[in-house]
Amino acid sequence: MNIADELAVHAKEELDHALAIANHVDYLGGMPSVKPKPVKTSEKAEEMLQFDLDNETQTIREYRRRVKQAETLNEYSIAESLRGILVQEQDHLIALATALGIDAPNPGIAD
Ligand SMILES: [Fe+2]
Ligand SMILES: [Fe+2]
């Protein structure tokens, strides 16, 4: 696997996710936050990949919950959009775990 090329694909997909989520928040009458979470960095490539994997795991946990919430509100279109994002996040998680030579973690679902 060419890790740099794979991460470049992920970065483009993450931007698309952010734009889709901003549109959903706007549709629901909210205001998208522009405050990013702190980014963990390291001089060690393996640690950076692990941080990225941890973020993807948390992201999947949260999206799984958001799908349930959207369906509870009968917002099936948003739920469908979130499912599409989840498919890509799951792919990111698997790619990162593969790059680290470990099994893909099971993210579970956020409370
Ligand atoms: Fe994303
Ligand atoms: Fe991702």
Side-chain angles (χ1 to χ4, degrees), residues 10 14 17 56 59 88-89 92:
H10 291 192
E14 299 298 5
H17 298 170
E56 298 289 359
T59 295
Q88 291 187 333
E89 301 296 13
H92 299 170

Side-chain angles (χ1 to χ4, degrees), residues 22-30 75 78:
N23 282 331
H24 298 323
V25 171
D26 183 51
Y27 163 78
L28 292 169
E75 291 290 353
I78 292 177

